[in-house]
Amino acid sequence: MNNKELQFAYKVKLALDANLDNLSDDTLQHLAAARRVALARKKKVPMTVRVEQPVFAGSINGGGTLSAGSGPSWLGRLGVAVPLLAGIILFAGIYQHENAKRVADLAEIDAAVLSDELPLSAYLDHGFNAFLTEKGE
């Protein structure tokens, strides 16, 4: 059906819908019979589903693989490489940050031990640890 036929069918439908209450029973029976005839004449069209698959570069040959010389474009490769590179940089940055934090914490502990009044040998003595636990410090 072309566009004019569709517009005419739509106008007829609207007119019939608007005057449905005013139609006689005889006219309704004739319309029902005409509808049955039209449905019987209608061709049985198998229902098809169209599925589109994107092809980035080149065409797919009969074997289902991309034809020779037609790999993903440089833009497609860049779309994979950029997130991968960003992930590597992110993980390296996190590692460097945590390593610097650990070194700073160890330096703070070393500075506290060295600035204390006790000699270093006291921290190595097991008796001193027992003394600290008895005192509750």
Side-chain angles (χ1 to χ4, degrees):
M1 290 182 114
N2 62 25
N3 194 19
K4 287 185 179 183
E5 290 174 343
L6 286 174
Q7 287 178 354
F8 176 73
Y10 182 71
K11 288 179 182 178
V12 170
K13 178 193 167 291
L14 287 178
L16 289 173
D17 286 343
N19 295 316
L20 187 61
D21 294 334
N22 300 336
L23 295 176
S24 66
D25 289 338
D26 189 39
T27 306
L28 290 175
Q29 288 176 1
H30 286 296
L31 287 173
R35 185 177 196 289
R36 284 191 297 272
V37 170
L39 288 176
R41 289 183 185 170
K42 183 179 177 186
K43 293 181 182 178
K44 299 287 185 186
V45 178
M47 193 169 168
T48 59
V49 177
R50 184 176 175 187
V51 178
E52 294 183 17
Q53 296 178 344
V55 177
F56 295 108
S59 60
I60 297 178
N61 62 19
T65 60
L66 287 173
S67 58
S70 64
S73 67
W74 65 272
L75 190 59
R77 290 181 185 154
L78 190 63
V80 172
V82 168
L84 186 64
L85 185 61
I88 291 171
I89 291 171
L90 178 69
F91 287 129
I94 290 172
Y95 173 77
Q96 290 294 329
H97 174 72
E98 291 298 322
N99 195 25
K101 185 178 174 185
R102 184 180 59 84
V103 168
D105 290 344
L106 289 175
E108 186 178 331
I109 291 172
D110 288 345
V113 167
L114 291 174
S115 66
D116 198 10
E117 297 175 2
L118 290 174
L120 291 177
S121 59
Y123 289 104
L124 300 175
D125 187 13
H126 294 292
F128 179 69
N129 286 335
F131 171 72
L132 288 177
T133 55
E134 283 180 10
K135 275 187 108 176
E137 293 183 14

